[in-house]
Amino acid sequence: MAAIEFLDVSYTVPGGAQILDHVSLVIGEGEVVALVGRSGAGKTTLLRLVNRLLEPDAGRVVVGGRDAREWEPIRLRRSIGYVIQDAGLFPHFTVADNIAVVPRLEGWDDARIRSRVDELLQLTGLPPAVYADRWPGELSGGERQRVGVARALAADPAILLMDEPFGALDPVTRAELQSEFRGVQRRLRKTVILVTHDMREALSLADRVAVMESGEIIACDAPPAMLASGDARVRKLLEAVTVPFSQDS
């Protein structure tokens, strides 16, 4: 069953350039799809149409079987996890309070919130006794990103949007968090859209990779097929994968 559908979607910056040009893409429940391409290709714009941070000029975006425009925007956003580069944590909230934001807005009781915070900290490799009462400023970049993922998962959303979530991290920490993500996804099976500039990351984490160029999807396939692509534009991105690749790496 489809979790997210982009149906002939276009988007133009008000008074500016066209960013998306008749994009169609169907993402199944529990599927991870990576959007890859150069800066300005339209990746983040496409992502933001899902939770109505942007609205299409033409076409339809369908989320959970309903046109996104039929959803009340706040209700839609609370039902979707959103992870951005550098995590975007509230600096005046503790780690536990950051993770608890959406459950509190949803009216969860304190005991349920504490249990969920502890569960997610354990899931993302941060022992609650050590990290729950820390402040974001006391964390490393990798630890902040782990908290960002935990916060996005707090209300158990079916969909997770990830916009360059590991892009600002050093290579070792990035590889560690990619491994953590694979473990979390194997357990939870969320529907995920991952925006990345890194083709290796896309091939490693996604069930399908969608390559974007000039506001269009020029290729979309599973990693093995993408690696075998003869499209010169896809090959250009693959040139950045300079070491032997496997999906288990």
Side-chain angles (χ1 to χ4, degrees):
M1 181 177 175
I4 304 167
E5 300 172 77
F6 300 98
L7 305 175
D8 201 28
V9 169
S10 296
Y11 177 80
T12 301
V13 175
Q18 185 177 43
I19 305 300
L20 298 175
D21 186 10
H22 300 285
V23 173
S24 292
L25 177 66
V26 177
I27 300 173
E29 290 182 351
E31 185 178 23
V32 180
V33 172
L35 304 179
V36 183
R38 297 174 183 271
S39 296
K43 306 182 300 297
T44 293
T45 298
L46 192 65
L47 182 87
R48 290 177 177 174
L49 294 177
V50 178
N51 58 1
R52 292 191 65 185
L53 292 178
L54 297 172
E55 300 276 359
D57 301 320
R60 300 171 61 220
V61 180
V62 179
V63 181
R66 295 172 58 191
D67 191 304
R69 286 168 290 204
E70 296 176 2
W71 287 83
E72 195 281 320
I74 300 302
R75 169 52 47 199
L76 177 63
R77 289 167 196 156
R78 288 185 188 176
S79 72
I80 296 173
Y82 192 29
V83 185
I84 61 175
Q85 189 170 308
D86 291 328
L89 302 181
F90 298 114
H92 55 292
F93 284 9
T94 64
V95 165
D97 286 338
N98 265 284
I99 296 170
V101 167
V102 173
R104 284 216 169 90
L105 290 171
E106 293 292 286
W108 292 22
D109 63 57
D110 288 346
R112 184 183 178 193
I113 289 173
R114 282 195 300 272
S115 176
R116 183 62 172 163
V117 167
D118 287 354
E119 176 189 6
L120 289 169
L121 285 173
Q122 292 284 10
L123 184 66
T124 53
L126 300 172
V130 177
Y131 288 95
D133 294 326
R134 287 191 179 179
W135 302 94
E138 298 175 315
L139 306 179
S140 69
E143 289 166 345
R144 286 194 297 273
Q145 282 306 115
R146 284 181 164 89
V147 175
V149 171
R151 183 175 64 180
L153 294 170
D156 197 23
I159 294 170
L160 190 61
L161 307 179
M162 306 182 76
D163 192 358
E164 290 283 355
F166 315 128
L169 302 174
D170 66 84
V172 172
T173 303
R174 184 169 186 155
E176 290 173 351
L177 282 184
Q178 289 168 350
S179 178
E180 291 277 356
F181 171 81
R182 283 192 290 268
V184 169
Q185 178 62 9
R186 278 194 293 269
R187 174 173 168 180
L188 300 182
R189 298 301 302 167
K190 301 296 182 182
T191 301
V192 181
I193 299 179
L194 169 68
V195 168
T196 179
H197 287 88
D198 184 344
M199 180 61 101
R200 182 180 179 83
E201 180 169 270
L203 294 167
S204 174
L205 299 182
D207 299 304
R208 282 189 296 154
V209 177
V211 177
M212 298 192 69
E213 184 173 295
S214 301
E216 300 179 352
I217 293 177
I218 60 170
C220 184
D221 218 324
M226 196 63 69
L227 283 165
S229 174
D231 189 304
R233 298 165 296 180
V234 175
R235 300 308 310 173
K236 190 82 170 175
L237 291 170
L238 287 169
E239 288 173 6
V241 183
T242 56
V243 295
F245 169 81
S246 81
Q247 276 191 285
D248 296 323
S249 62

